[in-house]
Structure formats: structure tokens, C-alpha cells
Amino acid sequence: MKTYGTYFQNDPEKPIKYGEINLINPERQRLRGEPLLAGVEAWPVFQGFCGTDFELMKMGRDGKLCAKFPEGENRLINGHEGVVWVPSKNRFAIVLIRGGDSWDPTRYTEDETYFEYGCDQADGLFCDKNYFNPDMLLKLPEKYNGLKKLPLSVAKRLSFADPYACAIFQLERMEDIGEAQNFRVEMAKHKCSEAEARRLAKDNIFKKTVVFGLGMTGLFIAAEIRRNHPDAEILFIGRSAEDSKKVVFSKEIAKADYLCTAGLNEKETAEKIIEKLGSRATMFVGTSGTDIEHRVAFEHKVLGCNGVYNSFSLGPVVKYDTMPFGFENHVIFASINFRQEHMEKAIEVLVDSRYDEVVELIDKDEFTADPLYAYENKIFSKGAPLKTGIIWNKDFIEEDK
């Protein structure tokens, strides 16, 4: 079967292209021990653009995408954030992006495999129709049952299901590690039971939290910390002006403080962070994608004793001096992705959120006319909106009144 959509390829001139594509429908497995299932047809309705898409496009320009292509193909239909219509089920769905031969997709091991729709070995959402494992088409909340058209505001919010699920998983990891890291300190300090000490440690690891980098992933992680740890002190670090739309919005959503580092060197940045917090940080979340993160945290001592460093950026090389690192009892962890339960929770949170306010649309005809130009000059350019989305099938979208 053929369809039309955009796809990545290894080409220095046209790493992303729009045109006719031959669809494939291999049997796929949601989790280890489950049956291989052929995909059911779904029609993408609304999609969001993710920074991962931009990185994959750059890999195609450098000829490095071969391992990402579906088996036997020389292209990858992009897109992993959005809403689809499932005609056989007569309902909307969110595609659970990650599956494969693993017990837990967040903990796959050397003898396990995975795939990701739109990212790795499986075609994604930027097409008129595609096939997805039926067990990976997640339902919307009950109040949306029977709808034939989805309100545009809701579609915009649900385009964040993938990154918000990542944030929920990040909270789980930070809590797990923070609890294990510091419960014995809490036991000694409060002369309490281990159970009570673990509860205190899970909460107190967020007492002084730095989120370095102000994008949607940083905002979502901060929002989840705030939802679950209301007494946390959260400080965003970024270069945007404090009165900019994204800073104002992020501060409101996460009830957080903000430090603009424009014009500051690394040492000055660290000093300002510690001054703002009133102490060194207990949790440092790096989301800026720059090497500055780890230098501020470790070389300039923003991360305090017994603190946790969540390396959520892709790209930076994290370095540290082993002497203070060991004696100050730091932990560094890095883990990305999520389980189905995280995406289901994300859907619940998002449908009643304000995140549609930061999504701006690009016209489908403008995008498909030259997707490369759109990526580089509209969607991921300097000054681009926090999030860009696209109505792919207007027959299933209702404009909000």
C-alpha cells in the first residue's frame, strides 16, 4: 500500500523529503513474551515536531541513518508525537512509541531489542496513513469516547504525550535514586524508621532543584516535580529574557524561580545559582544540551554534597574530578524513555492542561512544499516557538470556539 508523507533518508542535499511512500506492515511485539502482531491501519490527525526529528535529519545529511531505517528500507517516516484516528476502532488514539523484545523498555539489556515508531526501525506519524501494533494504540480519557472531531486545543496538548511521559519516568528515576542515596542520612538525622527515612529522602532530594535549560523537557520535569513535591524549590536556568513568553509560562506552570544567564560566564552563573537557592543544589537536571551543565554542577560546585545529577541532555560529555566527586558523594544518572503506564498518565495530565498555549501551527501545504526549509528556518530556527504542531488531517479536527 502507498501513502504520502515526509521521510528521512541518507542524502546530503535532501535528508528529509515529502512524497509517495510504499508502506510496510511487519509484525511487531509490544513487550517480551507477547505475540508478534500485524499493525492496524491508523490515520495521523495532528503531529508535533520534536528536537529528535531535527537530530535525525542531521544524521541523514551525514549519511548516518542506516541503523534507524526499518529492515529492508532506505528511509524512515518521521514523527512520534501526535494523535491518530483508528478507523477499525472508530476512535482517536495516542501511539505508544516504544516496543520490542524487552521486559521493560526503560531497562532493555544487551540481549534485548527495541523499536521506536518514527525514530528507530519503525515508520512514524508524518504520513496520511500507517500501521501500528494494535496493543500500542492507547485510548484517550472516557469523556472523548464517540467524538468524530477532536478539539484543536486538546490535539495540541496531546502532541506532548511522548515528552511528558519521559518527564514522568524521570521523576520516578529521581525519586528512586534520591531515596536510595540519602535514606540512611535521614535515619541518622531524625532517629526514625527506615520506611520514614525513605519517605523523607524521596521528598528532600528535590529541596533545592536546578533545571538547567528552559525547553519543554525541562518544563515538564519541573512540572512533575511540583505536582508530586509541592514544597520543592525549583530554579530554571536559561538565556531568555525573564519577561519572555516561555519564561513567564514556565514559571507559572512549575511555580518556579528563574535565572537569566545571558552575559554571565560559568563561574558567575554558578555563584548566581547558589545565591538564588540560598545553598548548593540537591538535584541538578541538565536539559540544555551544552557542556556548560556539568561544569557548572561539578567544577563550580553548584551540586551539593549527597546530590544527584540527572543528565537528560543528549550530546554533552559529562566530566568530573574524582576527588571531590567521591568525597561529596555525588550520583550521576542518565536514562531516557518510558513505559506504557507513564504515557497513560501523561495523557490524563495533558488533556486538562494549559500546554496548548505554547503550540503554534505551521500550515501543512507550507511544510510539505519544502520540509527541509521548514525544519531549518521555521520549526527549529532561532526564535522558533516553544512547540510547533501541524494539522495533518483537518477532517478530524474541530477549531476551538
Side-chain angles (χ1 to χ4, degrees), residues 323-353:
M323 183 70 79
F325 180 84
F327 277 98
E328 294 190 351
N329 196 34
H330 288 147
V331 168
I332 298 174
F333 84 91
S335 55
I336 299 175
N337 295 308
F338 50 84
R339 298 186 301 277
Q340 181 170 331
E341 65 192 276
H342 299 129
M343 183 169 266
E344 289 170 338
K345 181 62 178 178
I347 292 168
E348 291 179 16
V349 172
L350 289 168
V351 291
D352 295 318
S353 73

Side-chain angles (χ1 to χ4, degrees), residues 279-293:
S279 69
R280 295 165 71 188
T282 56
M283 173 68 67
F284 191 107
V285 185
T287 69
S288 74
T290 68
D291 289 341
I292 296 171
E293 295 173 351

Side-chain angles (χ1 to χ4, degrees), residues 160 162-168 170-171 174 206 209-227 234-238 246-247 249-251 253-258 283-289 293 310-314 355 386:
F160 292 115
D162 176 281
Y164 205 97
C166 279
I168 294 174
Q170 290 303 302
L171 178 73
M174 288 186 287
F206 301 107
T209 298
V210 171
V211 179
F212 201 97
L214 188 55
M216 293 310 298
T217 52
L219 169 55
F220 290 156
I221 291 171
E224 274 302 291
I225 293 171
R226 175 62 66 215
R227 274 169 40 83
I234 303 171
L235 177 64
F236 286 119
I237 311 299
K246 75 173 183 178
V247 173
F249 181 82
S250 299
K251 287 172 63 178
I253 293 295
K255 297 180 177 60
D257 202 354
Y258 177 73
M283 173 68 67
F284 191 107
V285 185
T287 69
S288 74
E293 295 173 351
N310 181 353
S311 180
F312 195 70
S313 293
L314 293 177
Y355 291 115
L386 264 175

Side-chain angles (χ1 to χ4, degrees), residues 345-371:
K345 181 62 178 178
I347 292 168
E348 291 179 16
V349 172
L350 289 168
V351 291
D352 295 318
S353 73
R354 292 176 49 199
Y355 291 115
D356 57 295
E357 296 176 25
V358 297
V359 181
E360 297 184 19
L361 299 180
I362 186 170
D363 181 75
K364 182 182 177 182
D365 290 338
E366 178 186 3
F367 174 65
T368 57
D370 193 341

Side-chain angles (χ1 to χ4, degrees), residues 170-187:
Q170 290 303 302
L171 178 73
E172 176 185 285
R173 291 288 281 151
M174 288 186 287
E175 288 179 337
D176 288 352
I177 291 170
E179 175 186 323
Q181 166 80 337
N182 287 328
F183 80 91
R184 295 189 185 280
V185 176
E186 301 291 355
M187 282 178 67

